Amino acid sequence: MAAIERRVSQGMKPNHKKLLRIYREEGLRVRRRGGRKRALGTRRPMVLPDGPNQRWSLDFVSDSLICGRRFRILCVVDDYTRECLALVADTSLSGARVARELTSLIGMRGKPHTVVSDNGTELTSSAILRWSQERRVEWHYIAPGKPMQNGFVESFNGRLRDECLNETLFTSLAHARFVLAAWRHDYNTVRPHSKLGGKTPAEIAGERVWGHAPRHVAIPSNINHERARLYL
């Protein structure tokens, strides 16, 4: 190598084959950089949920304001009730932001057993890996290039785009959030869903019991106030 360096300093061009051979023999190759640490999750076949909060599906949808500025929407859907749990619109949605939104949802609705998503950068970040481990929520990643493995939220995304995004010119991010909130309320509470037997997602969610105790534990008797007792 010293001889080759002297020749190069004198303006001579070394033989590229000899140079490559010496680099190989001396082990002077530049080591390839390894990929960053990603959340792995599970990829085994999934069974259909039989109750709310058993499985949530996540995905992103993008659109733009009339000024041309792009923004993204985080969509969260309950696979059993078909209920849209969240539509979070912002110009940037990092893995840490997704984790915060999921934590907020858990505070309102309880913890899901499984979360399903694709292999996007935000959803395979260390923030999501740490969140799923701390909350003890199983995270399932669909196979790359197989969006229909996340068919519930993909179907929802198509409806959201056809009925809301493609029909509205958003003047600002605040306007987009307002329109999305109104559409989400209509989707969850007003319109019937063919896969739910003509009921709305909110009605299906209301039929299920949230928490550990049944909705009506006992009915008080009004026959005699002094001898009041509970009929189970």
Side-chain angles (χ1 to χ4, degrees):
M1 288 299 299
I4 293 177
E5 290 177 356
R6 284 197 300 270
R7 291 186 180 184
V8 171
S9 63
Q10 295 172 2
M12 301 177 63
K13 185 178 180 180
N15 183 280
H16 70 280
K17 294 182 180 179
K18 183 178 181 181
L19 183 62
L20 180 60
R21 178 177 58 80
I22 294 175
Y23 260 74
R24 286 176 176 174
E25 291 176 353
E26 298 295 330
L28 299 178
R29 281 185 173 183
V30 178
R31 188 174 60 181
R32 283 190 175 184
R33 181 181 177 183
R36 66 181 180 85
K37 187 176 181 180
R38 292 174 178 265
L40 297 177
T42 60
R43 284 184 179 162
R44 61 175 179 271
M46 296 184 298
V47 297
L48 292 176
D50 58 5
N53 270 9
Q54 290 194 3
R55 191 170 73 204
W56 293 358
S57 294
L58 273 65
D59 202 5
F60 291 99
V61 179
S62 62
D63 207 335
S64 61
L65 307 176
I66 57 175
C67 64
R69 188 179 186 185
R70 303 289 295 179
F71 67 94
R72 305 179 75 197
I73 306 169
L74 170 65
C75 305
V76 185
V77 175
D78 188 305
D79 289 356
Y80 178 79
T81 64
R82 307 295 203 276
E83 190 177 7
C84 175
L85 306 181
L87 288 175
V88 182
D90 213 331
T91 53
S92 177
L93 291 170
S94 63
R97 174 68 182 280
V98 173
R100 290 198 303 269
E101 295 295 338
L102 292 177
T103 301
S104 177
L105 271 179
I106 288 177
M108 294 184 293
R109 303 183 57 90
K111 185 173 67 174
H113 180 268
T114 305
V115 175
V116 184
S117 74
D118 59 17
N119 298 269
T121 304
E122 302 86 353
L123 302 177
T124 57
S125 64
S126 58
I128 293 297
L129 173 62
R130 183 169 55 253
W131 182 89
S132 63
Q133 291 176 346
E134 292 176 352
R135 299 299 188 283
R136 296 184 179 181
V137 174
E138 181 180 343
W139 201 287
H140 180 96
Y141 290 103
I142 63 175
K146 302 289 185 180
M148 287 316 298
Q149 290 185 5
N150 203 8
F152 291 102
V153 75
E154 289 291 341
S155 175
F156 172 83
N157 289 347
R159 183 168 295 184
L160 171 64
R161 184 165 295 282
D162 292 341
E163 299 179 2
C164 181
L165 302 183
N166 291 347
E167 301 296 323
T168 310
L169 293 176
F170 299 112
T171 58
S172 65
L173 194 58
H175 178 222
R177 290 169 176 166
F178 176 82
V179 172
L180 288 170
W183 186 88
R184 174 174 169 264
H185 179 268
D186 178 79
Y187 175 85
N188 285 339
T189 63
V190 177
R191 70 175 71 184
H193 200 296
S194 60
K195 297 296 184 181
L196 300 177
K199 296 181 180 181
T200 64
E203 288 175 334
I204 296 298
E207 291 177 355
R208 304 294 296 188
V209 177
W210 299 95
H212 299 288
R215 184 163 299 174
H216 299 294
V217 177
I219 303 174
S221 171
N222 56 4
I223 297 176
N224 190 329
H225 179 71
E226 296 180 353
R227 300 175 57 191
R229 62 177 182 270
L230 298 178
Y231 292 93
L232 300 178

